[in-house]
Amino acid sequence: MEQRLKDSKNLGELMVIAHAVVIAESGEAVRILIDDGDDAKLAMSEIRRLKRLRAGGRHVADITLVNTRTVLMRAAGTEYIPNRETMRRIYQQMRCLDDGLPAIGQAELLSADLWRNT
């Protein structure tokens, strides 16, 4: 933990994970949104640890890890993101704020499968 705190770049994600673990260990389910690959791996290791605790009889809840792509995919075709043009505009705005997001084509947010029922 001490070494992780020295890297202030990811301190926010580390705090999100730490708070989620405390809440899950108290028995309440938590959903967190993390896009960074290394931090997502850390979150997944905590999720696996909680599963081991649960398997051992401890009363702990789940942490569900989602990312921006997941949120946008679920919103596609709804009142929030009714069409591809809106998806492009929103995603571009988000990419300006988060350089870790891939190009929209790589995120498959414009794919025919996603927009088939809209």
Side-chain angles (χ1 to χ4, degrees):
M1 181 71 155
E2 185 177 318
Q3 186 161 356
R4 294 275 304 171
L5 289 174
K6 289 179 183 176
D7 181 12
S8 63
K9 177 182 174 262
N10 296 357
L11 189 55
E13 288 89 345
L14 179 61
M15 295 307 293
V16 166
I17 295 166
H19 281 91
V21 167
V22 169
I23 293 168
E25 286 180 344
S26 74
E28 191 173 337
V30 183
R31 181 171 290 135
I32 58 176
L33 181 119
I34 296 178
D35 282 309
D36 180 74
D38 290 339
D39 292 317
K41 288 178 188 174
L42 177 61
M44 287 305 299
S45 71
E46 286 299 316
I47 290 168
R48 287 189 298 273
R49 185 183 68 80
L50 291 170
K51 286 182 181 182
R52 288 191 302 274
L53 290 175
R54 204 169 25 264
R58 292 261 318 263
H59 178 69
V60 296
D62 283 326
I63 295 175
T64 302
L65 176 63
V66 296
N67 59 30
T68 299
R69 180 178 174 266
T70 303
V71 172
L72 293 172
M73 288 179 83
R74 289 186 180 170
T78 69
E79 64 185 284
Y80 304 107
I81 306 179
N83 53 53
R84 288 181 171 136
E85 288 308 312
T86 304
M87 179 67 81
R88 278 188 190 93
R89 182 177 44 77
I90 290 172
Y91 197 79
Q92 185 56 42
Q93 290 171 339
M94 294 178 79
R95 275 196 87 201
C96 290
L97 301 171
D98 185 350
D99 62 358
L101 293 177
I104 195 166
Q106 292 175 317
E108 299 180 13
L109 294 171
L110 302 175
S111 72
D113 288 340
L114 182 61
W115 294 96
R116 187 173 315 267
N117 296 324
T118 60

